[in-house]
Amino acid sequence: MIHALGLLIIGLTAGQLGASTKLKWAARLLFIGIIVFSGSLYVLSISGIKILGAITPIGGVAFIAGWLLLALDVWQRGKDRS
């Protein structure tokens, strides 16, 4: 749920300040993280296919990378303004 809020923050930031390459990649990575992390856990719980547990961390890495790119973009834009 927090990552969906991150997508909203990215959308609002892109609307106000313009969509940079970092923001676009941050949105993509958060979306991929939602699909891979949450999707693999849902399918694992419904089907019991154990191998999907090995895929889940890939979604977590995508979450972390997306949040880092968002933070980096906001930090660089703040630095450029001052």
Side-chain angles (χ1 to χ4, degrees):
M1 194 163 125
I2 293 295
H3 306 296
L5 290 175
L7 285 173
L8 289 173
I9 291 168
I10 291 170
L12 292 172
T13 303
Q16 293 293 320
L17 303 175
S20 68
T21 304
K22 285 184 191 72
L23 275 182
K24 290 177 185 176
W25 273 105
R28 289 176 187 142
L29 287 169
L30 286 179
F31 182 72
I32 290 168
I34 290 169
I35 299 300
V36 174
F37 186 86
S38 301
S40 66
L41 290 177
Y42 286 134
V43 174
L44 173 67
S45 67
I46 292 170
S47 69
I49 300 171
K50 302 273 187 223
I51 193 69
L52 292 174
I55 296 171
T56 305
I58 296 169
V61 170
F63 281 145
I64 292 168
W67 283 108
L68 287 174
L69 278 176
L70 174 60
L72 180 64
D73 185 69
V74 170
W75 181 70
Q76 283 181 342
R77 286 177 191 242
K79 189 175 160 183
D80 291 342
R81 287 186 169 204
S82 57

